[in-house]
Amino acid sequence: MTHEVTAPKIIAVHLNYRSRAEQRGRIPAHPSYFFKPASSLSASGSTIERPTGTELLAFEGEIALIVGTDVRRVSPDEGWAAVSGVTAANDFGLYDFRAADKGSNVRSKGGDGYTPLSSEVIPASAIDQDALRVRTWVNGVLAQNDTSAGLIFPFGQLVADLSQMMTLHAGDIILTGTPAGSSVVQPGDTVEVEVDAPTAPGAPSTGRLVTTVVEGQAPFTDVGEKPRATDAQREAAWGSPEAAGFTPVLTDELREKLASVGTATISSQLRKRGLNNVSIDGVTTTRPGVRMVGRARTLRYIPNREDLFASHGGGYNAQKRIVDSLESGDVLVMEARGESGTGTLGDVIALRAQQLGAAGVVTDGGVRDVAEVAGFDMPTFHNGAHPAVLGRRHVPWDTDITIACGGAAVQPGDIIVGDDDGAIVIPPALAAEVADAAVEQEKSEEFIAEMVAAGERIEGLFPMNDEWKDRYKAWLSRR
């Protein structure tokens, strides 16, 4: 079945595949959308221009829904029934224009040819909406491979949600989101997207939607804001800091250095650099003797209010969403206002964090199931045990924002170190310098302790005068 590549309107979902959401570290509670102009449509075999002076043109292979009849205020079941067919789409975006768009996506997603759409359609009546597959190849290499079973918001829900505020007309296109694997392409690259239903009778397929990237020739003038690539946009476009060519702040070498020194030593080094308010006060660890080092991910709880807990506390709430998005080496830091009269997590949540490779959890609130949580390999720093559930005192509210935990400001990406003395926050820009200085400090303190154990006086030794410094250098040379 074929159709003309045109549409009254094109509506795209921002984030909908769990694989993509976990890659981005943000799982939405509800779908959100943007429009793309009909002039962005193009057919298979077309070219897409990467404008001169830009670098961040990214592909997004997607399943496109074709609305078959006018609908308004329908249920999710009625929404899926209103879809006449599905096809392959590519939701190209130019990240260089994201800052200029200020969230609208008008220029970053609306360029001519930025919505290639296959003319081959799979009838919706012939398939299960949860059994579609979308795959994307770049120069013949598979880059994306996921199924509609991985959607956060099913197709019928998208139609129902949109129809609450607008009439969807026959021929409208809904782009349903892209899975993990989206990245940057260059002039000369060929991108292919295929949607199929491999378990349906006949295994229907759209075939491959083919688009070739070409270099633009016309420069931008001064009539509007020009595109600009930033490191933040490079990371988002490529999909990860490593793919964008950035060296992660918390390298394996830095992690080992920080794990080799105590928080007391780190605290003194931060104090020398003017940072006194970096300790997360009032928390103790479930794993004495185990040191924790990781990148901060943040969650904020607000005081419980019954109507707000009803709207934000149940179901797949902010707490569960951020835990599901944790990656190896993350430390989940939770702001609970020092309120220990209820649990901010229990054994199931902590177990999920450990399974995802989290380095630890820090909360200035209470912990339920503390015996079970203490039995996990992953340390949890907390403000006391309490049997009550979350809703007694807290509503999970915001994620990946600047928070206060145990009197310390914590931002996403800060480096968190914990041991038996407590937990401390290191600004990423200072981490390498502090780690090196802390390693050196602990070497000198080892020497001082050895001398004291041998009967030496503290005077002149702690801190070391010039004579002791010379003896320390000789001691180092013998090690």
Side-chain angles (χ1 to χ4, degrees):
M1 174 175 153
T2 63
H3 78 114
E4 184 182 359
V5 180
T6 185
K9 55 181 174 285
I10 308 162
I11 306 169
V13 181
H14 279 111
L15 194 59
N16 196 14
Y17 278 86
R18 190 167 301 280
S19 61
R20 171 82 157 178
E22 290 174 352
Q23 185 183 48
R24 291 297 175 96
R26 178 173 61 88
I27 300 178
H30 306 286
S32 60
Y33 312 91
F34 58 94
F35 281 104
K36 299 193 78 172
S39 56
S40 70
L41 287 169
S42 62
S44 184
S46 300
T47 60
I48 182 171
E49 179 182 291
R50 190 189 74 174
T52 184
T54 65
E55 61 176 275
L56 301 178
L57 178 65
F59 65 87
E60 295 183 7
E62 306 202 7
I63 299 169
L65 308 182
I66 303 170
V67 178
T69 185
D70 293 359
V71 290
R72 180 80 159 100
R73 296 192 179 98
V74 296
S75 69
D77 287 343
E78 292 168 332
W80 173 241
V83 174
S84 62
V86 300
T87 192
N90 200 331
D91 181 21
F92 278 102
L94 189 67
Y95 281 69
D96 309 66
F97 258 130
R98 275 193 156 191
D101 275 349
K102 297 176 174 63
S104 72
N105 283 340
V106 168
R107 286 167 288 188
S108 60
K109 292 276 193 172
D112 287 351
Y114 275 46
T115 315
L117 194 71
S118 176
S119 61
E120 297 298 321
V121 176
I122 301 172
S125 59
I127 55 173
D128 182 334
Q129 65 171 316
D130 296 325
L132 285 164
R133 177 173 61 176
V134 58
R135 291 177 293 175
T136 306
W137 295 262
V138 178
N139 300 326
V141 178
L142 187 66
Q144 292 180 293
N145 185 5
D146 211 331
T147 72
S148 52
L151 292 174
I152 301 170
F153 312 111
F155 298 143
Q157 180 181 347
L158 301 178
V159 177
D161 184 28
L162 289 166
S163 75
Q164 294 183 99
M165 282 299 295
M166 68 183 76
T167 299
L168 296 175
H169 296 289
D172 284 348
I173 301 295
I174 301 174
L175 305 182
T176 60
T178 197
S182 164
S183 193
V184 172
V185 285
Q186 313 291 338
D189 287 344
T190 297
V191 186
E192 300 169 282
V193 182
E194 180 182 7
V195 170
D196 65 349
T199 61
S205 170
T206 63
R208 295 196 184 187
L209 167 68
V210 181
T211 309
T212 302
V213 183
V214 298
E215 183 72 67
Q217 301 299 318
F220 287 98
T221 68
D222 294 328
V223 296
E225 188 171 352
K226 294 181 179 179
R228 177 173 56 91
T230 65
D231 283 348
Q233 298 300 357
R234 290 184 179 97
E235 180 178 334
W238 282 95
S240 70
E242 294 77 13
F246 302 143
T247 301
V249 172
L250 190 55
T251 61
D252 290 342
E253 180 183 5
L254 178 56
R255 188 187 299 274
E256 289 178 7
K257 287 181 180 178
L258 291 172
S260 73
V261 297
T263 56
T265 307
I266 293 170
S267 177
S268 67
Q269 289 299 327
L270 288 169
R271 181 180 175 84
K272 289 179 181 179
R273 290 158 179 79
L275 293 173
N276 295 309
N277 299 307
V278 288
S279 61
I280 299 176
D281 295 338
V283 299
T284 56
T285 181
T286 58
R287 291 297 313 279
V290 175
R291 288 182 173 174
M292 173 187 73
V293 181
R295 306 175 303 270
R297 297 285 307 283
T298 61
L299 169 64
R300 178 184 173 226
Y301 293 109
I302 65 171
N304 184 40
R305 203 177 83 186
E306 287 75 5
D307 60 325
L308 296 179
F309 192 85
S311 61
H312 289 77
Y316 198 49
N317 59 31
Q319 179 209 53
K320 295 171 184 174
R321 293 196 302 273
I322 193 169
V323 168
D324 264 348
S325 71
L326 292 175
E327 297 182 356
S328 179
D330 286 344
V331 173
L332 176 58
V333 185
M334 299 189 285
E335 174 186 337
R337 311 174 311 284
E339 172 56 72
S340 59
T342 192
T344 54
L345 84 162
D347 57 347
V348 172
I349 297 297
L351 178 60
R352 176 61 173 158
Q354 176 173 283
Q355 286 181 323
L356 292 171
V361 175
V362 182
T363 174
D364 61 358
V367 169
R368 300 177 68 225
D369 311 310
V370 72
E372 289 82 358
V373 173
F376 297 153
D377 294 334
M378 178 194 75
T380 294
F381 290 75
H382 63 97
N383 193 20
H386 201 282
V389 296
L390 185 68
R392 182 170 186 254
R393 297 285 172 84
H394 303 301
V395 181
W397 199 253
D398 290 325
T399 62
D400 288 320
I401 59 169
T402 300
I403 63 169
C405 182
V410 182
Q411 295 189 302
D414 282 345
I415 295 174
I416 310 297
V417 181
D419 61 15
D420 292 359
D421 283 346
I424 201 160
V425 184
I426 308 175
L430 290 176
E433 176 186 336
V434 166
D436 288 340
V439 168
E440 176 58 33
Q441 179 181 331
E442 292 211 344
K443 286 181 183 177
S444 67
E445 289 178 352
E446 180 186 352
F447 167 74
I448 291 168
E450 187 175 309
M451 295 301 102
V452 170
E456 298 288 351
R457 292 169 53 86
I458 292 293
E459 182 183 6
L461 174 60
F462 188 53
M464 289 185 282
N465 58 23
D466 289 343
E467 178 185 349
W468 276 111
K469 287 178 181 177
D470 289 340
R471 293 178 65 176
Y472 172 56
K473 290 177 182 177
W475 177 83
L476 284 176
S477 69
R478 295 193 298 270
R479 289 171 63 84

